[in-house]
């Protein structure tokens, strides 16, 4: 029997692959759709609860083992409603995924993504209300990261391994366990540990599963993939998903030499090459690419840096998110003082750019990307982050 889908974790199979799987076992093809519906539409992994399936198929599914390959090791709750889930994988590796409540009072259109909402909250325009029930989830794609950005805990840790599509999707399943009854998952941002485009195949498959109309059916417009700038994979991503998935670019510097010092990936794909790929990304003209700019004191927060960035991005359909760096262990780098952040923002706005300061959220559960996991991997785990400087 040539059944390619049998090499996939059951959670990774798309409806057509489930149809192939059931027909190879002499069941009618529509049973495959039913299995997918149970798994991805209702997140039911126990075949005994799949009430419309015949007993024989349930037994075959039970032998297959459908359970998600991940569990919640710990939930860290912040006073601002942020929940950081420490997730343990089958090989005991740990990753993290974060749930961020977003305000319902900004329900004003498709482009109103998580970043916009967080930014508006930061500017005091949209205070969260008691009825706010929308939640944005930040997803990890790797254990650690190979890209080596100097301000990032995942980069400092290095790449341990890629996540499988099942492990990426499992984060969304687990998030549902941590949602309050009145909350709904609204946005996904691929901004957790790892570089999504370095783990292209698993990321792409997870996106197909999560957006499938028979499953969770998340709109690709409500999903943002963030990349440090792997240009060939970015081109492939734009082509394969037709530019429907939101894009965030981690730029962090407008000068090549300085960017290479912060982000080694810049040596392979320098700024002009990266921005040419961003211009090619086939996104709807009414939407904007997000430019992420982690402000690191003394590294990229000067007036010259702002001027260069303003010139570089002039006329591009982008919005800039300034993120004061969360301090990480094993690094002396940190965020600028708040007046410097405000000045940097003001200069970009004066240059005509749409520019927000992202409010730091969940500071009291752990700070930046990957930090929680690093803390958890040491014997004297200290999950509560230091207060950021500045
Ligand atoms: N690898 C992808 C996605 C994960 S990182 C990328 O780099 O885009 C998500 C975002 O968090 C990136 O913009 C990254 O620069 C930022 N980030 C990483 N460490 C940070 C820190 N210590 N403080 C603030 N932002 C950080
Ligand atoms: Fe990797 Fe992104 Fe961290 Fe850079 S910022 S090391 S690409 S996770």
């Amino acid at each position: 029997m040539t059944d390619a889908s049998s090499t996939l974790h059951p959670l990774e199979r798309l409806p057509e692959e489930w149809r192939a799987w059931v027909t190879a076992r002499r069941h009618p093809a529509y049973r495959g759709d039913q299995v997918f519906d149970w798994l991805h539409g209702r997140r039911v992994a126990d075949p005994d609860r799949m009430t419309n399936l015949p007993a024989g198929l349930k037994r075959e599914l039970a032998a297959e083992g459908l359970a998600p390959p991940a569990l919640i090791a710990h939930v860290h709750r912040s006073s601002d409603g942020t929940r950081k889930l420490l997730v343990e994988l089958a090989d005991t590796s740990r990753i993290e995924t974060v749930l961020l409540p977003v305000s319902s009072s900004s329900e004003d259109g498709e482009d109103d993504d998580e970043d916009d909402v967080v930014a508006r909250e930061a500017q005091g325009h949209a205070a969260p209300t008691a009825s706010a029930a929308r939640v944005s989830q930040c997803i990890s794609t790797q254990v650690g990261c190979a890209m080596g950005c100097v301000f990032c805990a995942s980069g400092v840790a290095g790449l341990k391994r890629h996540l499988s599509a099942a492990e990426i999707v499992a984060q969304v399943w687990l998030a549902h366990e941590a949602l309050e009854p009145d909350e709904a998952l609204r946005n996904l941002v691929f901004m957790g540990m790892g570089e999504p485009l370095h783990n292209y195949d698993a990321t792409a498959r997870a996106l197909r599963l999560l957006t499938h109309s028979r499953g969770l059916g998340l709109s690709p417009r409500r999903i943002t993939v963030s990349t440090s700038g792997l240009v060939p994979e970015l081109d492939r991503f734009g082509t394969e998903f037709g530019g429907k998935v939101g894009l965030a670019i981690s730029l962090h510097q407008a000068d090549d030499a300085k960017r290479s010092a912060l982000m080694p990936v810049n040596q392979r794909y320098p700024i002009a090459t990266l921005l040419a790929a961003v211009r090619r990304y086939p996104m709807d003209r009414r939407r904007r690419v997000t430019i992420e700019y982690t402000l690191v004191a003394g590294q990229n927060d000067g007036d010259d840096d702002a001027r260069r960035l303003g010139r570089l991005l002039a006329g591009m359909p982008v919005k800039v998110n300034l993120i004061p760096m969360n301090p990480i262990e094993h690094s002396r780098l940190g965020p600028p003082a708040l007046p410097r952040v405000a000045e940097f923002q003001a200069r970009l706005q004066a240059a005509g750019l749409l520019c927000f300061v992202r409010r730091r959220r969940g500071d009291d559960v752990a700070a930046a990307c990957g930090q929680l996991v690093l803390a958890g991997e040491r014997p004297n785990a200290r999950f509560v982050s230091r207060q950021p400087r500045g």
Side-chain angles (χ1 to χ4, degrees):
M1 182 176 63
T2 54
D3 181 2
S5 68
S6 61
T7 58
L8 296 170
H9 185 283
L11 260 197
E12 295 176 352
R13 291 184 196 129
L14 288 155
E16 56 271 28
E17 290 159 342
W18 272 115
R19 288 199 288 275
W21 191 90
V22 296
T23 51
R25 286 158 185 78
R26 301 179 189 286
H27 299 284
Y30 75 89
R31 295 288 186 201
D33 289 325
Q34 288 177 317
V35 176
F36 187 89
D37 292 348
W38 280 110
L39 286 172
H40 293 277
R42 302 192 224 190
R43 291 181 301 283
V44 168
D46 176 1
D48 281 340
R49 290 178 53 206
M50 300 181 178
T51 47
N52 57 359
L53 300 186
L57 178 54
K58 286 184 191 172
R59 273 196 300 279
E60 285 162 328
L61 290 170
E64 189 76 353
L66 305 181
L71 52 84
I72 299 177
H74 206 290
V75 180
H76 300 260
R77 287 174 192 277
S78 162
S79 50
D80 65 9
T82 304
R83 274 140 286 170
K84 199 156 199 167
L85 276 53
L86 189 58
V87 172
E88 185 159 313
L89 308 173
D91 67 354
T92 74
S93 295
R94 287 179 163 198
I95 53 163
E96 63 198 35
T97 183
V98 183
L99 296 178
L100 300 121
V102 290
S103 166
S104 61
S105 52
S106 46
E107 185 98 42
D108 59 2
E110 284 282 294
D111 267 333
D112 191 12
D113 65 15
E114 182 267 336
D115 288 348
D116 288 325
V117 174
V118 172
R120 263 204 293 282
E121 283 173 11
Q123 298 192 331
H125 292 318
T129 63
S131 62
R134 294 192 300 151
V135 172
S136 190
Q137 182 178 8
C138 181
I139 302 272
S140 292
T141 54
Q142 297 177 315
V143 184
C145 183
M147 296 296 134
C149 304
V150 297
F151 48 81
C152 173
S154 303
V156 170
L159 179 67
K160 202 160 157 198
R161 69 171 174 86
H162 291 308
L163 296 188
S164 67
E167 289 167 331
I168 297 172
V169 170
Q171 292 170 60
V172 179
W173 282 45
L174 295 177
H176 283 84
E177 290 179 21
L179 286 178
E180 302 297 337
D182 66 335
E183 287 180 330
L185 198 59
R186 169 86 156 174
N187 302 76
L188 292 186
V189 293
F190 283 64
M191 295 184 184
M193 295 177 74
E195 166 52 54
L197 297 186
H198 184 212
N199 185 12
Y200 187 91
D201 289 342
T203 298
R205 180 173 277 275
L207 287 170
R208 291 199 176 90
L209 291 161
L210 293 165
T211 56
H212 201 287
S213 58
R214 299 197 77 105
L216 194 57
L218 281 171
S219 162
R221 298 173 59 87
R222 300 249 169 239
I223 301 178
T224 299
V225 168
S226 174
T227 181
S228 57
L230 293 175
V231 168
E233 289 80 3
L234 178 54
D235 281 334
R236 181 179 170 196
F237 185 61
T239 304
E240 287 185 5
F241 288 86
K244 292 198 167 52
V245 179
L247 178 66
I249 299 291
S250 291
L251 192 60
H252 309 317
Q253 246 301 348
D255 172 84
D256 269 320
K258 289 180 167 184
R259 186 169 190 263
S260 293
L262 290 175
M263 308 175 70
V265 68
N266 193 67
Q267 292 160 24
R268 255 193 297 164
Y269 306 113
I271 294 167
T273 308
L274 173 57
L275 289 189
V278 172
R279 289 193 178 90
R280 288 194 293 273
Y281 188 74
M283 199 153 83
D284 186 328
R285 290 269 163 253
R286 287 165 301 180
R287 300 182 70 200
R288 291 170 190 270
V289 170
T290 301
I291 301 291
E292 290 163 282
Y293 197 98
T294 295
L295 282 165
V296 187
Q299 304 295 314
N300 63 1
D301 63 338
D303 292 345
D304 281 359
D305 299 314
R307 194 174 313 119
R308 241 191 325 265
L309 185 63
R311 276 204 302 266
L312 185 69
L313 299 177
M316 286 184 76
V318 296
K319 68 172 177 210
V320 180
N321 277 342
L322 300 175
I323 317 152
M325 181 194 161
N326 278 307
I328 59 168
E329 295 199 29
H330 312 298
S331 169
R332 302 165 75 96
L333 300 173
L338 286 180
R340 180 92 295 261
V341 175
E343 175 67 24
F344 199 91
Q345 179 187 26
R347 284 176 181 265
L348 291 184
Q349 286 172 333
L353 287 171
L354 189 62
C355 175
F356 304 99
V357 177
R358 275 183 65 165
R359 202 168 60 131
R360 261 194 224 105
R361 305 194 53 182
D363 269 348
D364 53 330
V365 290
C369 166
Q371 224 179 340
L372 181 62
V373 171
L374 290 185
E377 277 177 357
R378 283 197 309 281
N380 290 322
R382 214 167 58 88
F383 287 115
V384 178
S385 70
R386 285 167 297 164
Q387 283 305 303
R389 281 178 276 152

